[in-house]
Amino acid sequence: MKIFRNLYIHYIKNKSMPAKFKDNKENLSKSLKYNLVEIQKILGDSDDIIIREFKIGMNKKEAFLLYIDGLVDKNLIVMDILKPLMLLTEPLVSKEGSLNSLLKESVLTVYNLTETSSMNTAIEDVLSGYIALFIDKTQTAIIIKAKEYKSREIQEAETEAVIRGPRESFTESLRVNTSLIRRKVINPNLRFETYVIGKQTKTKVCLTYIKGICKEEIISEVKKRLEQINTEAILESGYIEAYIEDAPFSPFPTIGNTEKPDKAVGYMLEGKVIILTDGTPVVLSVPHLFIENFQNIEDYYSRPYYATLTRLIRFIAFILTIYLPGFYVGVSTFHPEMIPSPLLMTMAETREGVPFPLLIEALVMLTLFEILREAGVRMPRPIGQAVSIVGALVIGEAAVAAGIVGAPMVIVTALTAISSFIVPSVADIATLLRFAFLLLSGITGLFSLVLGSLFVLVHAVSLRSFGIPYLAPVAPFFLQDMKDFFARFPLWALNNRPASLENYNIKKQDQELNRKRK
Amino acid sequence: MKKIFIVIIIICIILSIGCWDKKELDERAYVMGIGIDLGTENQLKLSTQVVHQNQKAPQEETDTNGLHMDFVLTQECNTLFEASKKFMNFSNRKLFYGHNEVVVFGEEFAKSGIVSSLNWFERQAELRPHTIFLVAKGEAKKILECQSLFEQHSARAMKEAVRSDEITNVVEVTLHSFLGEYASRGSAVMPKIEIATIEGKKTFRIGEFGVFKKDKLVGWLDEKASSGYLLIVNRKNPRVIIVPVPNSKDGKASIELANNNAKIIADYKENSPTITVEIMIDGNLKEQTAPVSIGTPEKLQELNMNFKKAIEEEVETAIGAAQQYKTDVFGFGEALHRKDYTKWNEIKEDWDEIFSNMEVNISVKTEIKHLGMVVTPITPK
């Protein structure tokens, strides 16, 4: 009992406690030596923390640079910081304020710098990859913002493969991601707002939206929730998702994710907010509706008939992957009168001599499939695929030959498995629901299957994602959004942004003009 | 807290139901056909054709075709349900009637009235209302034991022979339609099934009709009468009429019937009912045994006349047979009812007698539409 109660309280607490920023304004002292000793005390003896002491200009004023090896642009340090400072030929004025402003304005030829008088800020900035310049008898340090580190190049997105369309995907660097988005939307209304979340990781999280299209309440809600996150580490956008989502106990995700910039920009133009996280190429999109799992960005690059067909296939595949095992078990065991006679005779023949009830067979086969799939993903690339295929075929065949499972069960499992790969974004929902429906249907047949579906449906209808109903545009019904639901109307007919997202500026193109051109 | 409690209670309830009503596919025995006969001492004999679904059956149980034989189980009891329950002493599998295709009534049983069996069919949930009814010439049990020429399960072959539009020359009578006719008109026909041998193989033959007055079998319609019946009640009739070819000694022409249309016109002349049957038929000339040209309009007209005479003969045979059995299977009574309700009410009780003595006017209009690919057959010079 108490366990549940404590869990509940813990969850409530974490949700509502505001984050406290430790803003310790421990000032730098005028003495360089004192600063140096202080820094060494705080940072310790790590190998990659470089303290480069030198003397500025003709007066030989003492100064040192503090930076982390591997995170900075070494060329810039040498050419644009050390060189101009060391070779400074002008006489230095010894007053504090003007020395720093002189350096900032005329000597340091770097593209971005600030000043700070707080030790903590300076150290945090250095740990982020900036360079701190401490000068003797100066109470402020100059922070030069020049990061350069090795990270992954812009490559093809592996989880969202497209046949036609751009192959670029986001990378782990926040700046590269923002640049990818900027390239696609040339609009002064595109806003990036950065937050720093996570006590230990201090991850930069960037909120992106197009002002004037996105609903203001959504933006303020997202900001409110981001500010409320109180945690130690944000290693991936999934962490943020867990802290800000609407229904943490539901199997349906109310926050979407993507790896491709064109998809992210497409979302923003519909009126969504994108959350970029430093350190991961996966960005979040809020609000997320259920229908978006089936709307692939590639649909819009192909012609309408084929796009409509593939969309219908996705719906059918989803229904199939959820219901097929449950339906098969339920109908065979409880309602054999629904099966056509010739099929029934064949199926009954294959069931002869099989020891286990159909429900057990189905559970075993589905579990086996999940094991094989997971193993195939984790294994090294060349053997991974071979083992999955071989495993599936051989185990299936051998099991049938040995009389452990019936042949139709293998077919049902194979069909279910393949259908689950057509819409990968709902793969986790599908797996959960599949098992739930299988168990229900094995207990009381189609009656409980239908009841379970009703339960899930009622739950899905009641969900909201940041204020937008989850199953819009079906429930509540938006007629004009139907152009992009089952069928994908041609692009010249999609005049408005989705009404379900309650965005401003709903008209995006003029149909009159498009029609006249035809 | 409350929510978790509720969830736990629901799970407990679901688990305590267990797998109620669960029966694996191989725990059932599937009945394909039911046959009902009269047994000893007025008991009913229920025969069920059960599918033999065991893959690992020994070789002796297969017949010469190499197929596994479905077997027929028979039990006798006072009522059908009792008889069906008796099967459980013999098998570990429960009989399942959900896939039952046909119900065959034995001749003796049909003659004594089938109403005693209909109630079990009506009440039970497993039997489908569209189960085909057949009346057997002979014993129903022997029919169920027959093998079909093509199918593994003969009951399904029987059903498909009746159902298929193109190859059948019988009317499909189901539980549903028979109950309807029994309740309203009181007379019905049912397709006849009998044992026949072809190439030495014993199989079944579905052919003409048996005539039911109320629920008792009173007689059979032969080939011509069955064809006439189909014409009068406006059903598809794939019959072939043989007529003599004009200008030839003994040439015979085969004409296939197509597009038949019938109208029953009822009238009361001097308070006595009259029926006129108007039939319009198209014929397709399919074959003629004498290579004589029939290309001229006069010859065609003569062929048409022969055709018309043949059709009239068939319709008269049908009406004559029905009148002989004193059963109005065509729906003449309904036509009279539609024409004048009050007058019909007066003659309703004696309708069978009136019908059997009534003069029915037949008016037939025929036309030979298609002659095929040739008009003049090839003859040596």
Side-chain angles (χ1 to χ4, degrees):
Chain A
M1 285 310 159
K2 269 228 162 123
I3 303 177
F4 291 129
R5 184 166 158 275
N6 289 340
L7 274 176
Y8 192 57
I9 292 175
H10 185 69
Y11 167 66
I12 294 285
K13 259 199 186 154
N14 261 348
K15 215 177 170 202
S16 56
M17 217 195 311
K20 289 203 194 110
F21 284 112
K22 260 198 178 165
D23 201 14
N24 209 343
K25 274 217 180 305
E26 208 181 280
N27 287 346
L28 299 163
S29 87
K30 281 199 179 173
S31 156
L32 196 70
K33 286 271 179 321
Y34 180 73
N35 284 338
L36 189 58
V37 164
E38 216 27 60
I39 286 172
Q40 277 171 335
K41 237 198 294 185
I42 297 178
L43 284 178
D45 222 355
S46 300
D47 193 20
D48 57 345
I49 300 178
I50 312 277
I51 298 181
R52 171 73 165 91
E53 294 170 328
F54 63 98
K55 297 197 175 27
I56 298 183
M58 281 186 349
N59 295 32
K60 304 278 185 243
K61 199 165 178 84
E62 287 191 353
F64 70 87
L65 279 180
L66 176 66
Y67 61 90
I68 308 266
D69 188 15
L71 290 180
V72 295
D73 184 356
K74 297 223 183 83
N75 208 20
L76 182 134
I77 294 182
V78 167
M79 300 300 289
D80 301 307
I81 303 180
L82 287 179
K83 197 164 174 190
L85 286 178
M86 285 177 167
L87 303 179
L88 193 60
T89 49
E90 291 180 8
L92 291 173
V93 186
S94 56
K95 268 207 244 161
E96 286 184 26
S98 31
L99 172 62
N100 268 4
S101 28
L102 173 71
L103 292 180
K104 278 191 338 189
E105 286 160 16
S106 316
V107 178
L108 290 171
T109 54
V110 293
Y111 53 85
N112 197 1
L113 48 69
T114 64
E115 243 182 289
T116 177
S117 61
S118 149
M119 177 68 81
N120 275 351
T121 320
I123 289 188
E124 268 181 31
D125 281 344
V126 164
L127 289 172
S128 309
Y130 298 147
I131 306 159
L133 172 63
F134 293 87
I135 306 180
D136 198 12
K137 306 228 176 28
T138 312
Q139 214 169 3
T140 56
I142 299 182
I143 311 287
I144 297 147
K145 301 196 169 185
K147 267 200 254 190
E148 184 181 318
Y149 45 77
K150 295 265 188 306
S151 75
R152 193 170 58 97
E153 296 179 342
I154 298 180
Q155 289 172 337
E156 209 171 306
E158 300 201 358
T159 53
E160 296 175 46
V162 280
I163 302 174
R164 173 175 178 167
R167 310 279 158 89
E168 289 180 328
S169 86
F170 288 124
T171 63
E172 280 80 359
S173 158
L174 186 66
R175 190 51 70 216
V176 173
N177 295 345
T178 54
S179 75
L180 283 172
I181 293 184
R182 276 279 178 208
R183 268 159 51 187
K184 294 215 187 281
V185 178
I186 307 195
N187 187 349
N189 284 331
L190 175 66
R191 301 293 153 90
F192 292 97
E193 298 183 19
T194 312
Y195 288 82
V196 175
I197 308 181
K199 287 200 278 267
Q200 302 276 16
T201 58
K202 301 241 194 294
T203 317
K204 288 218 185 58
V205 172
C206 187
L207 209 69
T208 315
Y209 57 92
I210 298 184
K211 196 178 175 70
I213 293 180
C214 185
K215 187 174 166 188
E216 290 292 329
E217 283 86 355
I218 297 179
I219 301 173
S220 53
E221 179 69 25
V222 176
K223 284 191 197 170
K224 190 171 84 172
R225 293 193 196 182
L226 280 180
E227 281 161 13
Q228 278 178 350
I229 298 179
N230 176 17
T231 179
E232 208 175 56
I234 298 283
L235 294 174
E236 216 267 344
S237 54
Y239 283 60
I240 298 182
E241 186 179 336
Y243 285 110
I244 67 173
E245 66 178 347
D246 265 291
F249 291 115
S250 162
F252 293 98
T254 47
I255 298 183
N257 56 11
T258 177
E259 249 187 32
K260 303 182 89 265
D262 54 337
K263 199 165 171 186
V265 168
Y267 282 159
M268 278 200 288
L269 289 172
E270 282 184 355
K272 299 203 169 99
V273 174
I274 301 285
I275 303 177
L276 302 151
T277 312
D278 192 23
T280 175
V282 178
V283 308
L284 304 173
S285 73
V286 296
H288 177 72
L289 305 175
F290 187 64
I291 182 61
E292 283 162 30
N293 296 316
F294 301 97
Q295 290 169 336
N296 206 353
I297 190 67
E298 200 183 338
D299 283 348
Y300 300 94
Y301 304 149
S302 338
R303 311 204 67 232
Y305 299 122
Y306 185 68
T308 306
L309 185 69
T310 25
R311 199 167 276 186
L312 289 176
I313 289 182
R314 275 182 220 132
F315 283 121
I316 295 175
F318 182 60
I319 306 281
L320 212 62
T321 191
I322 291 183
Y323 283 114
L324 192 62
F327 187 71
Y328 171 66
V329 169
V331 165
S332 296
T333 322
F334 293 92
H335 314 278
E337 58 263 13
M338 280 175 68
I339 309 177
S341 307
L343 182 60
L344 181 64
M345 296 307 138
T346 322
M347 272 166 47
E349 260 181 58
T350 62
R351 293 281 312 156
E352 292 289 331
V354 173
F356 299 113
L358 257 182
L359 177 63
I360 308 293
E361 249 181 65
L363 280 174
V364 164
M365 289 301 284
L366 283 184
T367 315
L368 197 64
F369 162 66
E370 293 295 322
I371 292 176
L372 279 171
R373 185 187 54 81
E374 193 67 26
V377 166
R378 307 283 164 224
M379 263 194 272
R381 193 71 52 79
I383 9 173
Q385 299 203 1
V387 168
S388 308
I389 296 176
V390 167
L393 284 175
V394 168
I395 292 183
E397 276 298 305
V400 171
I404 302 179
V405 295
M409 197 64 233
V410 176
I411 300 173
V412 162
T413 311
L415 206 58
T416 312
I418 294 180
S419 305
S420 74
F421 292 132
I422 293 184
V423 196
S425 45
V426 289
D428 36 1
I429 310 175
T431 314
L432 287 172
L433 290 181
R434 191 191 306 152
F435 273 103
F437 287 151
L438 175 65
L439 285 172
L440 279 177
S441 145
I443 291 179
T444 337
L446 291 184
F447 178 63
S448 41
L449 183 73
V450 168
L451 276 186
S453 313
L454 203 62
F455 184 73
V456 168
L457 193 66
V458 166
H459 168 73
V461 164
S462 75
L463 278 181
R464 273 179 186 265
S465 170
F466 286 81
I468 311 290
Y470 192 58
L471 287 189
V474 175
F477 189 71
F478 289 96
L479 181 62
Q480 65 185 41
D481 286 0
M482 282 300 163
K483 282 190 195 167
D484 201 8
F485 187 70
F486 283 116
R488 209 263 307 163
F489 274 50
L491 288 174
W492 41 263
L494 297 174
N495 288 321
N496 298 328
R497 305 182 211 277
S500 46
L501 288 170
E502 297 173 25
N503 38 34
Y504 315 130
N505 208 348
I506 198 150
K507 210 169 177 195
K508 61 182 177 184
Q509 69 195 21
D510 201 337
Q511 193 173 22
E512 293 300 321
L513 286 180
N514 275 338
R515 236 190 255 147
K516 277 189 195 146
R517 245 178 258 135
K518 287 197 185 306
Chain B
M1 220 35 234
K2 233 194 216 171
K3 280 190 200 161
I4 298 175
F5 251 138
I6 294 177
V7 167
I8 291 179
I9 289 178
I10 290 179
I11 293 179
C12 286
I13 290 179
I14 292 180
L15 288 179
S16 71
I17 301 176
C19 308
W20 155 30
D21 214 19
K22 173 178 95 96
K23 263 197 153 12
E24 290 293 322
L25 283 179
D26 55 351
E27 289 172 8
R28 294 189 205 255
Y30 299 98
V31 174
M32 302 297 295
I34 295 181
I36 309 184
D37 289 311
L38 273 185
T40 56
E41 298 159 25
N42 256 348
Q43 285 191 325
L44 293 178
K45 192 157 73 164
L46 175 70
S47 315
T48 51
Q49 182 185 79
V50 181
V51 173
H52 184 172
Q53 62 196 51
N54 204 330
Q55 269 179 328
K56 303 168 182 127
Q59 280 303 110
E60 306 95 68
E61 287 188 25
T62 66
D63 67 347
T64 48
N65 273 351
L67 298 170
H68 293 243
M69 274 168 63
D70 299 339
F71 43 85
V72 178
L73 304 173
T74 310
Q75 283 297 310
E76 280 190 37
C77 227
N78 282 325
T79 63
L80 288 177
F81 183 61
E82 213 181 328
S84 81
K85 274 298 181 195
K86 282 203 169 168
F87 289 123
M88 73 180 167
N89 293 338
F90 293 92
S91 86
N92 62 326
R93 300 186 185 196
K94 186 157 184 273
L95 290 183
F96 182 64
Y97 295 96
H99 285 273
N100 184 49
E101 315 272 19
V102 295
V103 175
V104 183
F105 296 106
E107 194 175 356
E108 295 299 320
F109 175 64
K111 285 199 175 128
S112 75
I114 65 172
V115 70
S116 50
S117 68
L118 290 178
N119 197 266
W120 182 50
F121 298 141
E122 278 181 90
R123 267 185 213 268
Q124 70 159 308
E126 280 181 2
L127 205 75
R128 300 173 177 177
H130 291 278
T131 314
I132 304 283
F133 274 11
L134 299 168
V135 58
K137 197 167 174 69
E139 222 185 294
K141 177 174 169 195
K142 298 270 176 6
I143 302 281
L144 287 181
E145 284 169 356
C146 282
Q147 281 272 294
S148 139
L149 282 180
F150 300 106
E151 304 288 330
Q152 193 178 351
H153 311 292
S154 58
R156 189 176 307 141
M158 290 177 207
K159 176 194 92 164
E160 281 176 13
V162 171
R163 277 261 184 96
S164 146
D165 229 6
E166 282 154 6
I167 64 173
T168 186
N169 59 351
V170 297
V171 174
E172 178 189 330
V173 173
T174 62
L175 170 66
H176 189 83
S177 70
F178 184 79
L179 285 175
E181 289 186 355
Y182 168 65
S184 62
R185 195 191 302 165
S187 61
V189 298
M190 208 184 280
K192 174 179 81 168
I193 184 171
E194 59 192 349
I195 303 183
T197 31
I198 182 168
E199 308 304 325
K201 277 208 238 306
K202 193 177 80 155
T203 184
F204 58 83
R205 175 185 177 277
I206 297 183
E208 298 73 46
F209 294 105
V211 178
F212 274 77
K213 192 188 173 82
K214 278 278 173 356
D215 66 316
K216 291 192 173 45
L217 177 72
V218 293
W220 305 103
L221 295 178
D222 67 349
E223 227 180 292
K224 273 197 175 161
S226 307
S227 163
Y229 169 78
L230 287 174
L231 290 176
I232 297 177
V233 294
N234 214 0
R235 302 290 274 216
K236 192 157 183 278
N237 193 354
R239 184 145 164 78
V240 174
I241 310 270
I242 313 287
V243 295
V245 175
N247 272 14
S248 138
K249 201 159 49 156
D250 48 357
K252 301 249 187 310
S254 312
I255 302 181
E256 189 191 31
L257 300 182
N259 289 348
N260 52 326
N261 208 339
K263 260 204 291 228
I264 301 177
I265 304 175
D267 203 3
Y268 292 89
K269 286 213 178 83
E270 297 130 16
N271 274 347
S272 78
T274 57
I275 299 276
T276 312
V277 178
E278 274 183 17
I279 300 188
M280 288 197 327
I281 299 194
D282 294 335
N284 299 333
L285 176 64
K286 287 288 184 184
E287 182 191 353
Q288 59 181 55
T289 56
V292 174
S293 161
I294 49 162
T296 61
E298 298 86 32
K299 296 220 191 82
L300 268 179
Q301 188 60 10
E302 201 180 325
L303 195 63
N304 202 13
M305 279 295 121
N306 293 341
F307 181 39
K308 182 170 156 194
K309 262 188 256 162
I311 296 288
E312 282 172 357
E313 204 183 310
E314 297 214 334
V315 176
E316 277 167 11
T317 320
I319 299 182
Q323 284 179 331
Q324 179 198 346
Y325 296 131
K326 295 198 172 109
T327 320
D328 168 26
V329 291
F330 308 109
F332 292 160
E334 269 138 33
L336 287 168
H337 176 111
R338 279 195 293 268
K339 179 74 180 173
D340 195 331
Y341 170 63
T342 47
K343 289 204 187 124
W344 167 247
N345 268 345
E346 294 165 19
I347 58 173
K348 205 163 54 171
E349 275 85 52
D350 313 315
W351 173 236
D352 289 332
E353 283 300 318
I354 300 177
F355 169 72
S356 57
N357 299 327
M358 205 166 70
E359 272 279 327
V360 179
N361 306 322
I362 305 174
S363 134
V364 176
K365 246 192 281 192
T366 59
E367 189 183 335
I368 300 198
K369 271 248 165 85
H370 298 288
L371 299 175
M373 302 283 276
V374 293
V375 173
T376 311
I378 296 176
T379 52
K381 284 269 162 80

